[in-house]
């Protein structure tokens, strides 16, 4: 089942906030204008209808992010992190509602399920998905035949980048992959060439705001067909060990395929926080390595 899910933060502005929160999802810009009418009376006057009216206009920055593949392992973590930071999220996914536990998952409503191709970027009604968005995050990727990997890792992301650009979305964030110093014959396969083509499209269409994150092995608690796979049992100690011996292993980093063993794993929650940093920081753009991803996450981690 494919679906589009909308996540939003819990209103905190009193009785009128629920209506303003829901309407905020349809604002076409990052700045919404708040106008306050204030009537005052001088001391000793019960009610002075002739008193001056003060108009206070405040610009409030809002963020609304579209996450492509938001029900997956990485996509769900991004949705969760974004919601926790007060960012509205629309998840476009072919697999329906995320299966990950947590109260954050209840902060969504099903927007539509009108098409057999719903959630497929090749058939998506972008006008409906992108309206009011301030950024698009793509976690699209996968394995298969050469043709399938070129289509999933490359073409699907390129279509998404161009749709976002044509709609005027100011930022695009792409989850790519570390190259592990693999030999050229491996990097020429559909998985890597598709990813690199997508990267080129992001950086070409968004030279001053596009973000490419290149994590290595991503660990965390991953759910597959209802079963939880504790990748953190491997990834967490490996990250600590490799980080501790990094100064000793650097000379080996030039060896072909050395990073298959030496590249530190990345916690999925750190990757998600790096995305949040990219969404909220206008000066955050370009290609980011494993270490830079962790540094970006640390800036917003509390």
């Amino acid at each position: 089942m494919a679906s589009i899910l909308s996540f939003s933060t819990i209103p905190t502005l009193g009785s009128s906030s629920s209506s303003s929160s829901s309407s905020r999802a349809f604002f076409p810009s990052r700045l919404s204008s708040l106008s306050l009418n204030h009537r005052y009376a001088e001391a000793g006057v019960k009610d002075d209808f002739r008193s001056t009216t003060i108009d206070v206009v405040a610009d409030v920055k809002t963020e609304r992010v579209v996450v492509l593949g938001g029900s997956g392992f990485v996509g769900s973590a991004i949705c969760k992190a974004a919601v926790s930071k007060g960012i509205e999220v629309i998840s476009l996914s072919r697999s329906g509602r995320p299966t990950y536990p947590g109260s954050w998952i209840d902060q969504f409503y099903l927007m539509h399920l009108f098409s057999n191709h719903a959630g497929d970027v090749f058939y998506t009604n972008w006008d409906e998905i992108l309206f009011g968005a301030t950024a698009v995050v793509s976690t699209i990727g996968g394995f298969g035949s050469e043709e399938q990997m070129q289509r999933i890792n490359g073409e699907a992301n390129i279509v998404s980048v161009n749709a976002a650009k044509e709609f005027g979305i100011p930022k695009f964030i792409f989850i790519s992959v570390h190259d592990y110093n693999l030999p050229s014959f491996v990097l020429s396969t559909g998985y890597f060439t598709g990813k690199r083509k997508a990267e080129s499209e992001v950086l070409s269409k968004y030279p001053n705001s596009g973000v490419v994150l290149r994590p290595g092995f991503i660990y965390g608690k991953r759910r597959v067909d209802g079963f939880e796979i504790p990748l953190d049992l491997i990834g967490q100690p490996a990250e600590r060990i490799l980080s501790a011996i990094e100064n000793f292993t650097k000379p080996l980093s030039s060896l072909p395929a050395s990073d298959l063993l030496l590249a530190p794993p990345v916690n999925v929650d750190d990757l998600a926080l790096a995305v949040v940093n990219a969404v909220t920081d206008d000066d955050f753009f370009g290609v980011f390595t494993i270490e830079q991803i962790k540094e970006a996450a640390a800036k917003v981690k509390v």
Side-chain angles (χ1 to χ4, degrees):
M1 179 178 70
S3 63
I4 302 172
L5 307 178
S6 174
F7 300 79
S8 62
T9 55
I10 299 175
T12 58
L13 299 178
S15 60
S16 64
S17 63
S18 59
S19 60
S20 63
S21 175
S22 60
S23 63
R24 193 181 75 183
F26 300 99
F27 269 72
S29 77
R30 304 181 72 171
L31 296 178
S32 57
S33 181
L34 174 65
S35 181
L36 302 177
N37 242 349
H38 177 68
R39 189 180 66 199
Y40 70 95
E42 295 179 0
V45 180
K46 279 189 176 181
D47 200 351
D48 184 0
F49 288 96
R50 296 169 299 171
S51 298
T52 306
T53 296
I54 300 176
D55 288 324
V56 179
V57 178
D59 284 330
V60 181
K61 185 176 181 181
T62 62
E63 303 287 357
R64 186 184 192 222
V65 179
V66 174
V67 180
L68 308 180
S71 293
F73 174 50
V74 174
S76 290
I78 293 171
C79 291
K80 180 180 179 181
V83 167
S84 73
K85 297 297 182 180
I87 300 172
E88 287 191 0
V89 181
I90 294 294
S91 168
L92 177 63
S93 177
R94 299 181 66 179
S95 55
R97 176 188 171 101
T99 58
Y100 291 85
S103 59
W104 67 275
I105 200 63
D106 295 323
Q107 300 176 42
F108 78 91
Y109 56 91
L110 187 62
M111 286 191 64
H112 87 190
L113 194 60
F114 298 146
S115 168
N116 291 331
H117 300 294
D120 189 325
V121 297
F122 292 105
Y123 302 95
T124 290
N125 181 353
W126 290 108
D127 288 350
E128 180 181 352
I129 303 302
L130 297 178
F131 188 79
T134 58
V136 173
V137 181
S138 177
T139 68
I140 298 174
F143 294 94
S145 66
E146 281 292 301
E147 182 180 356
Q148 289 172 329
M149 289 190 292
Q150 286 282 3
R151 182 169 173 81
I152 296 170
N153 298 316
E155 295 171 21
N157 285 300
I158 290 171
V159 165
S160 303
V161 172
N162 283 289
K165 183 64 178 179
E166 290 172 9
F167 204 85
I169 307 303
K171 176 164 283 194
F172 197 101
I173 302 161
F174 175 51
I175 310 299
S176 189
V177 64
H178 183 61
D179 64 15
Y180 296 100
N181 290 336
L182 292 169
S184 58
F185 73 89
V186 178
L187 294 177
S188 64
T189 59
Y191 182 83
F192 288 99
T193 57
K195 289 279 190 180
R196 295 300 178 249
K197 286 178 181 177
E199 288 185 9
S200 296
E201 196 70 11
V202 172
L203 299 175
S204 172
K205 293 295 192 299
Y206 291 89
N208 299 313
S209 61
V211 177
V212 172
L213 303 179
R214 290 180 175 175
F217 172 68
I218 304 171
Y219 71 87
K221 288 182 170 56
R222 184 167 192 164
R223 295 181 71 86
V224 179
D225 296 329
F227 295 95
E228 188 171 89
I229 303 175
L231 297 176
D232 51 329
L233 294 181
I234 300 172
Q236 193 170 54
E239 180 182 16
R240 290 175 178 173
I241 292 170
L242 290 172
S243 296
I245 64 173
E246 183 180 10
N247 291 333
F248 301 99
T249 58
K250 275 185 178 179
L252 303 175
S253 61
S254 60
L255 297 176
S258 58
D259 275 0
L260 286 173
L261 295 175
L262 301 179
V266 176
N267 188 318
V268 69
D269 293 330
D270 284 343
L271 180 57
L273 288 174
V275 170
V276 169
N277 192 341
V279 168
T280 57
D281 186 353
D282 292 336
D283 295 324
F284 190 110
F285 61 91
V287 179
F288 291 80
T289 64
I290 293 172
E291 286 308 312
Q292 290 171 327
I293 289 171
K294 295 179 181 181
E295 291 170 4
K299 291 179 180 179
V300 295
K301 187 181 294 185
V302 291

